[in-house]
Amino acid sequence: MFRFVAACRFLVFQCLLFTLFTTARPTFAQPTPPKRELRGVWIATVENIDWPSSRSLPPEQQRREYRRMLDIHQRNGINAVFVQVRPASDAFYQSELEPWSKWLTGTQGKAPVPYYDPLPFLIEEAHSRGMEFHAWFNPYRATMDTVTRRLAPNHPYRRHPEWFLRYSGKLLYNPGLPAVREYIGQVIVDVVRRYDIDGVHFDDYFYPYPEANQVIHDEAAYARFNPDHLDLAAWRRQNVNALIQSLHDTIRHTKRWVKFGISPFGVWRNQTTDPNGSATKAFQGYDGLYADALEWLRQGWVDYVLPQLYWSSNFRVAQYPVLVEWWARNSNGRHLYIGHGAYRMLENTRADTTWRNPRELPRQVRINRTFPTEVSGSVFFSSKSLISNPLNTTDSLRQHEFRYPALVPAMPWLDAVPPRPAQNLTVTTKATANTLAWQPSPTASDGDAATYYALYRFAEEQTPTPDDPRNLLAIVRPQAGRGLTYVDTTALRGRGYAYFLTAFDRLHNESRPVSVRTTGRTAEVVVAQTTPEPVSVPAPVPAPKPATPPAPATPRPPAPRPTAGTVSTPTKIKVKTKPKRRGGFFRRLFGGR
């Protein structure tokens, strides 16, 4: 009997301990995921690295391949693509200046059969999935070999062989020639004018990477076009800077909403060479490629910089955390995206074995987020590497770091005027779903129309905040011939919800919200009532050290497209059912009004 009582007491004690530890354990709030974060991927066309997979694919198969690629990236949380449209003085689009690319059709200068212009298709497919489209150009590479007899009749080499240098088995444009810089500008602005791109993008190829026993023979240009009598290295950097500054100015005056960004080599200079450099011991882009990325940032010639940090956190000569901190400190108010080497996980290298750890890439994304005001996102090289899901890392990103959607960050130096709110927002409740419908936003004071809308949903027990993407229910883009609607099939029957709706312009400025609230009853119709627009509008933030006066404000055409920003107080609502008490949750949501 004693043993039985003792056993019972022990059992009760164990139950009390279990209750104590299961109910009294502290709970740790999960950090709020970023609402705005660029998540991009490079899609390389040179040598058919990513797309199309073969130069012999017919156009319909090319299109299917591209759609499938974007579908996968969309599921993985990607919101921007950087597509190589000019890999080597050739074109993945209809051009009067340069030949069709051999990596598109199999033969340089041959048009697709049956004919189509791929670039409008590539852009529209990205936009329809809520992705920005950055047209990626290689400015100086002209060929991948020196067999000139295979060049198309309209290749620039046929007309101007004096523009080119031979280096390491390739033809390169000579950056020291003013005519070359003018021509490259013409090629790029031609695309800016004719196509609905969101950005112009350069990679790290400026002057060529040094190779043993190879010399850049630009002596004649150096002697002829050096009025400031600079030394050779400074003169070469000046040539690159002149192209960057000229393109910045021309793009801004052509379409003021098109961004210009560059992806330089990951190390500007080492601290042992320059006190302003990073604590690294690696190749230096400033000295080896004559690319002065810090000068571009200081002058405001680029809207974003995307350094290629393809090293792991433990790579001693160029540690990832060291370089992220250095670039964050030197971004000078422009957007900083980090280029990640996803392809490194597919290598069998002994030089940087940390890439064999499946936690490395997610760790890098989390390191970026420790600089929330300086680092604005990540871009991965390349598309094929990310899709192959090396070490299941892509799955990890989708399930954790990119579990919730993110909106593209705004660029206030380009545009800080938010669009006007949507009009006539209504929600109709039924037993199976809540249907929301609204009318387009009026044109804003700067001529911008709304290009897409963000719909947030909050349960009664939540404190509404538009800064948490976990409450972002949907991104809705206008489609020709269809009204602006969204059917919320995930709403629980009998539950009341508050909905916020905001409008976004082309550069991702976010409007004030309009709001509606349901009570959980079926067959009710709730109508939002928009408050009058404020008289004043915020002024754009000035660019750091602008090199030229701002471009005139040309109105932007509305384009069905994606992304987001900050939200102020919501508007009032009007309900077409029985009057409701405005207390509790309703008071918290609308400030007691």
Side-chain angles (χ1 to χ4, degrees):
M1 181 69 177
F2 175 78
R3 289 180 179 176
F4 176 75
V5 172
C8 289
R9 287 176 178 171
F10 180 75
L11 181 61
V12 171
F13 177 70
Q14 291 287 81
C15 291
L16 289 172
L17 283 178
F18 177 80
T19 303
L20 176 67
F21 282 103
T22 56
T23 61
R25 279 187 301 180
T27 57
F28 299 97
Q30 293 295 317
T32 302
K35 173 180 173 177
R36 289 186 181 264
E37 183 177 66
L38 185 125
R39 300 169 183 172
V41 63
W42 277 291
I43 298 177
T45 58
V46 65
E47 302 287 1
N48 301 102
I49 292 175
D50 290 311
W51 181 86
S53 60
S54 167
R55 63 182 73 181
S56 62
L57 291 185
E60 184 52 42
Q61 196 167 341
Q62 292 174 0
R63 290 190 287 266
R64 283 201 303 269
E65 204 171 67
Y66 183 75
R67 290 190 188 103
R68 177 181 174 275
M69 183 190 313
L70 292 196
D71 286 342
I72 294 172
H73 289 316
Q74 184 181 32
R75 289 195 294 271
N76 291 333
I78 296 300
N79 59 20
V81 290
F82 297 75
V83 181
Q84 195 172 31
V85 300
R86 183 191 188 249
S89 196
D90 52 1
F92 271 71
Y93 55 92
Q94 173 62 53
S95 173
E96 299 298 324
L97 300 172
E98 297 191 309
W100 288 100
S101 176
K102 67 180 180 182
W103 294 298
L104 179 70
T105 65
T107 302
Q108 189 178 87
K110 178 185 175 183
V113 178
Y115 178 82
Y116 84 119
D117 185 345
L119 191 48
F121 163 79
L122 299 175
I123 295 168
E124 180 55 36
E125 291 295 323
H127 286 175
S128 69
R129 290 166 177 80
M131 299 174 181
E132 279 200 330
F133 187 97
H134 293 245
W136 168 14
F137 299 83
N138 188 294
Y140 295 129
R141 184 169 60 207
T143 65
M144 296 295 287
D145 55 41
T146 56
V147 185
T148 58
R149 69 177 181 275
R150 289 203 290 257
L151 296 178
N154 62 332
H155 190 281
Y157 179 82
R158 301 291 193 189
R159 303 188 300 274
H160 297 285
E162 72 280 5
W163 284 359
F164 297 89
L165 303 169
R166 291 176 183 263
Y167 185 90
S168 188
K170 298 180 179 66
L171 287 178
L172 307 174
Y173 283 92
N174 186 344
L177 299 177
V180 162
R181 297 195 294 270
E182 181 181 356
Y183 172 74
I184 292 171
Q186 290 173 357
V187 169
I188 292 169
V189 172
D190 173 59
V191 173
V192 173
R193 284 197 186 102
R194 294 193 293 123
Y195 296 97
D196 190 27
I197 64 174
D198 299 294
V200 169
H201 179 72
F202 283 0
D203 54 19
D204 56 323
Y205 289 102
F206 293 98
Y207 277 86
Y209 278 86
E211 295 191 26
N213 304 317
Q214 296 291 319
V215 178
I216 302 172
H217 288 294
D218 55 356
E219 300 89 349
Y222 178 59
R224 184 179 177 188
F225 300 107
N226 186 15
D228 299 327
H229 305 289
L230 300 173
D231 65 61
L232 182 62
W235 175 74
R236 287 174 175 171
R237 274 188 292 275
Q238 184 185 68
N239 295 332
V240 175
N241 289 347
L243 176 66
I244 302 305
Q245 180 181 5
S246 174
L247 275 172
H248 164 269
D249 297 346
T250 306
I251 292 169
R252 196 67 70 248
H253 283 81
T254 304
K255 284 182 181 175
R256 61 184 175 91
W257 61 93
V258 174
K259 305 170 182 180
F260 180 36
I262 298 177
S263 179
F265 183 76
V267 173
W268 175 71
R269 297 192 97 184
N270 298 314
Q271 208 169 65
T272 52
T273 304
D274 189 315
N276 294 319
S278 53
T280 51
K281 298 178 181 178
F283 176 80
Q284 304 171 120
Y286 178 93
D287 301 274
L289 304 175
Y290 309 99
D292 190 356
L294 252 59
E295 181 67 8
W296 310 334
L297 289 165
R298 291 189 195 106
Q299 296 294 339
W301 293 336
V302 291
D303 298 305
Y304 66 84
V305 66
L306 206 176
Q308 297 175 23
L309 305 190
Y310 294 166
W311 306 285
S312 76
S313 302
N314 300 315
F315 190 56
R316 286 189 298 174
V317 300
Q319 291 180 317
Y320 182 87
V322 170
L323 282 164
V324 170
E325 189 276 334
W326 185 88
W327 283 100
R329 190 159 27 90
N330 288 281
S331 59
N332 205 47
R334 291 311 202 213
H335 280 185
L336 169 61
Y337 313 132
I338 302 299
H340 300 269
Y343 73 96
R344 299 297 306 276
M345 291 180 287
L346 300 171
E347 293 180 336
N348 293 319
T349 176
R350 296 182 180 180
D352 196 356
T353 56
T354 302
W355 281 111
R356 299 175 190 172
N357 185 341
R359 297 186 180 91
E360 176 58 20
L361 197 60
R363 178 193 299 139
Q364 292 187 0
V365 173
R366 293 194 296 272
I367 290 172
N368 294 353
R369 291 176 179 174
T370 64
F371 300 91
T373 60
E374 294 90 3
V375 180
S376 299
S378 299
V379 182
F380 302 92
F381 189 86
S382 65
S383 174
K384 181 166 62 177
S385 301
L386 207 62
I387 287 174
S388 69
N389 194 20
L391 306 177
N392 298 315
T393 296
T394 307
D395 288 343
S396 179
L397 290 172
R398 183 181 64 254
Q399 295 165 9
H400 300 288
E401 286 74 23
F402 296 168
R403 179 179 177 182
Y404 297 101
L407 303 167
V408 174
M411 290 184 171
W413 57 90
L414 293 181
D415 180 7
V417 179
R420 292 196 167 98
Q423 295 188 321
N424 303 323
L425 171 65
T426 63
V427 58
T428 304
T429 66
K430 293 183 179 179
T432 55
N434 294 340
T435 300
L436 296 102
W438 62 95
Q439 297 299 315
S441 305
T443 302
S445 60
D446 61 352
D448 289 356
T451 59
Y452 63 98
Y453 299 85
L455 183 64
Y456 305 85
R457 188 185 71 185
F458 305 94
E460 288 186 324
E461 65 274 11
Q462 288 182 285
T463 300
T465 169
D467 298 323
D468 190 337
R470 289 174 290 194
N471 295 115
L472 183 58
L473 184 62
I475 297 294
V476 180
R477 296 164 189 84
Q479 297 182 19
R482 297 183 61 180
L484 291 167
T485 61
Y486 180 77
V487 180
D488 181 8
T489 58
T490 62
L492 297 178
R493 186 174 182 178
R495 291 284 301 272
Y497 294 99
Y499 293 94
F500 275 22
L501 180 71
T502 59
F504 290 82
D505 62 19
R506 181 79 184 244
L507 280 164
H508 313 298
N509 294 298
E510 187 170 23
S511 74
R512 296 178 300 111
V514 288
S515 307
V516 291
R517 178 181 184 263
T518 67
T519 64
R521 297 195 299 267
T522 57
E524 69 174 346
V525 178
V526 188
V527 183
Q529 184 177 15
T530 306
T531 56
E533 283 291 312
V535 176
S536 60
V537 294
V541 176
K545 299 182 183 178
T548 58
T554 52
R556 295 204 282 268
R561 302 199 352 89
T563 335
T566 55
V567 185
S568 58
T569 52
T571 60
K572 296 180 181 179
I573 67 164
K574 182 166 63 179
V575 184
K576 287 185 177 178
T577 54
K578 296 179 181 178
K580 305 175 182 64
R581 286 191 306 115
R582 297 193 174 188
F585 171 73
F586 196 81
R587 181 176 296 277
R588 293 197 307 273
L589 178 59
F590 299 108
R593 292 180 292 169

